[in-house]
Amino acid sequence: MAKTVEEIRAVNAQGKYQPNWESLSRMPVPAWFKQAKFGIFTHWGLYTVPEYSNEWYSRNMYIKGMPAYEHHIKTYGPQKDFGYKDFIPLFTAKKFDPQAWVALFKRAGAKYYFPVAEHHDGFQMYKSDLSHWNAAEMGPKRDLLGELRQAALGVGLHFCTSNHRAEHWWFMGHGKQFDSDVKEPLQKGDFYWPAMPEPDNQDLYSTPYPTKEYLEDWLQRVCELIDNYRPEMLYFDWWIQHEAFKPYVKEMTAYYYNRAAEWGTPVGICYKYDALAWGDGIPDVERGGFEQQKPFYWQTDTAIANNSWCYTDSLDYKGTNELLISLLDAVSKNGNLLLNVGPRADGSIAPKDRQILEEIGDWLAVNGEGIYGSTCWKLFGEGPTNIKEGMFQDLSGMHYGPKDIRYTANNGSVYAYLLSPAGASEATLTAFREFDEHDQPAFHAPIKRVEQLGVGPVSWYIDKAGLKVELQPNADNRPIGLKIMVE
């Protein structure tokens, strides 16, 4: 285990991967990740204690005029008397059962699991030698990440983790603007340190520029996670794209890839925007996706609710069908879905979250053969409705209908998923229409059989409009999967 920056650099000096983009681009996307398709993300930490607004409570409670600022004073008192750190004793996780969590995630059909190890608030959910502000020493006094890792591996889930420490450079800075418990002098090791003024957080060159001391601390924290928990994949939020992080991101990536080579474990890094050079990791699209198939592998992450990544008392939940459509849309375009759930502060998972996860699992148990291990087909799909490309383009508000179809391919068959069948008794797949040399369809080969997943063989025929398939309508307007088998 490397505990110092010098030791980290010594590992890299002797390793296969060097801290430059050319060397790091030689790490392939793990085969298990391409096979898995569906993972679960959890945002859980001190910010869940107030159950208010969202996971940025620790920032917003120190900004005058923000609803969280007023809520905090009304509920807990002035910030100088009850600050964010005072949530730590209230974060007891008394109902936390890691085996129950991962059993639910496996029941939902997930193949990998991404708990957040440290969010922007700076409280580590794991045992650390670098800071005493962690769950093993304070609050629940348990190595929460370690327990989740053991439980996940115990049921066959790939264990991954997420680090959002980069944004802590400025996340608590507003607390210095009035009489609060965020006070100077702040030194390395303090919970709120460094609490710098918040920049335009999309400015790649913003000042005040992160210091060497802070950047080295970030590097050490991530490498500690790598060594102690051996995640099969890492995820970072957007601010590591800042210019100051670039050399440290390269060092961290090389260290991770070199350690993974020692373990004999295929790993990867999910990143947003262009925080890593192209080909050095896996692009992640937050709450969004792409309009067309992509030649590169990617992931979308979204939450079970529209308005928060953590549990609150006012969640605007998405419907199960919307989440299934998100999964199908991503897989048809060469991507994965990472779905976030927010456990409550006591460690329990709310009934609505549980219900949605179980409904997803029920659907995947019937329809998963065209998902797991699949590849994209010639066409991602057909129909009038499609997501707009980019981040923050969630499906909420979009109206899919019986003509909206997504395709995958697996084990020699083509799978067609009707996203919103709306009780239709017949489907028309225009990609399989009769061959015409002046209007050639995407598919032109003898078809052996067509099956509706969960039902069995169904009647079908082909005409100039397309492949006409007789359907058995399902409950709740769930997407219908069709398996098209060729001779």
Side-chain angles (χ1 to χ4, degrees), residues 12 36 91 124 284 461:
N12 288 340
F91 185 61
Q124 296 165 302
D284 182 276
Y461 65 94

Side-chain angles (χ1 to χ4, degrees), residues 297-308:
Y297 211 79
W298 60 281
Q299 175 179 262
T300 179
D301 63 302
T302 195
I304 206 166
N306 287 302
N307 56 339
S308 178

Side-chain angles (χ1 to χ4, degrees), residues 67-207:
Y69 176 89
E70 302 298 338
H71 170 84
H72 189 85
I73 294 174
K74 180 180 178 180
T75 308
Y76 302 102
Q79 287 82 345
K80 66 183 178 63
D81 300 324
F82 191 106
Y84 187 68
K85 68 181 185 308
D86 296 302
F87 285 122
I88 296 175
L90 304 180
F91 185 61
T92 60
K94 61 183 178 181
K95 295 183 180 179
F96 173 55
D97 181 346
Q99 283 75 31
W101 280 28
V102 300
L104 176 61
F105 302 155
K106 190 174 181 68
R107 163 84 166 79
K111 301 298 184 183
Y112 58 103
Y113 175 42
F114 257 105
V116 173
E118 179 180 351
H119 203 252
H120 312 326
D121 64 349
F123 189 75
Q124 296 165 302
M125 299 290 282
Y126 59 95
K127 184 178 181 180
S128 175
D129 293 330
L130 299 173
S131 171
H132 297 297
W133 299 91
N134 67 74
E137 297 184 47
M138 298 180 176
K141 297 186 177 179
R142 296 169 64 176
D143 181 359
L144 303 175
L145 190 72
E147 292 183 41
L148 286 168
R149 178 183 186 274
Q150 183 177 8
L153 297 179
V155 298
L157 295 181
H158 293 275
F159 177 79
C160 315
T161 196
S162 177
N163 179 283
H164 303 230
R165 172 72 183 181
E167 292 80 0
H168 192 69
W169 171 253
W170 47 264
F171 211 65
M172 314 299 289
H174 294 278
K176 292 180 179 179
Q177 298 173 358
F178 65 101
D179 188 12
S180 81
D181 66 329
V182 184
K183 297 179 182 294
E184 294 286 11
L186 291 173
Q187 300 176 351
K188 182 179 178 181
D190 295 340
F191 184 35
Y192 298 143
W193 173 81
M196 301 303 291
E198 181 171 347
D200 172 356
N201 58 53
Q202 293 295 338
D203 182 351
L204 303 180
Y205 310 96
S206 63
T207 57

Side-chain angles (χ1 to χ4, degrees), residues 281-476:
I282 301 160
D284 182 276
V285 185
E286 180 179 350
R287 291 188 183 271
F290 294 108
E291 292 184 40
Q292 302 291 328
Q293 294 163 331
K294 295 298 179 181
F296 53 87
Y297 211 79
W298 60 281
Q299 175 179 262
T300 179
D301 63 302
T302 195
I304 206 166
N306 287 302
N307 56 339
S308 178
W309 291 82
C310 75
Y311 182 82
T312 74
D313 61 5
S314 58
L315 290 180
D316 175 21
Y317 281 100
K318 297 177 180 177
T320 300
N321 285 6
E322 178 183 340
L323 297 171
L324 290 173
I325 292 172
S326 294
L327 172 63
L328 290 167
D329 193 69
V331 173
S332 72
K333 297 171 181 174
N334 208 26
N336 283 14
L337 171 65
L338 180 62
L339 175 62
N340 181 79
V341 177
R344 300 189 70 177
D346 63 8
S348 63
I349 295 178
K352 184 65 174 180
D353 298 67
R354 181 177 298 277
Q355 175 191 342
I356 291 172
L357 291 178
E358 290 177 348
E359 289 173 350
I360 291 172
D362 290 341
W363 186 89
L364 280 168
V366 173
N367 295 275
E369 69 174 81
I371 304 296
Y372 304 120
S374 68
T375 63
C376 49
W377 189 53
K378 296 178 182 181
L379 304 176
F380 77 85
E382 57 184 77
T385 313
N386 195 10
I387 191 171
K388 183 178 178 182
E389 188 153 316
M391 292 196 183
F392 307 108
Q393 303 291 336
D394 260 343
L395 303 180
S396 296
M398 299 185 71
H399 300 289
Y400 290 87
K403 294 182 180 180
D404 292 306
I405 298 166
R406 295 294 178 265
Y407 291 113
T408 67
N410 207 9
N411 299 319
S413 296
V414 178
Y415 291 82
Y417 290 95
L418 283 64
L419 300 185
S420 185
S425 59
E426 183 182 81
T428 301
L429 282 58
T430 63
F432 294 78
R433 62 189 177 275
E434 284 183 354
F435 183 82
D436 182 331
E437 62 181 8
H438 301 294
D439 180 26
Q440 297 184 9
F443 180 88
H444 183 51
I447 294 176
K448 180 179 181 180
R449 185 167 68 250
V450 178
E451 296 179 359
Q452 180 175 333
L453 299 179
V455 174
V458 291
S459 299
W460 60 274
Y461 65 94
I462 295 177
D463 62 17
K464 292 182 179 180
L467 171 63
K468 302 291 184 69
V469 181
E470 183 179 308
L471 301 175
Q472 179 175 312
N474 61 13
D476 302 317

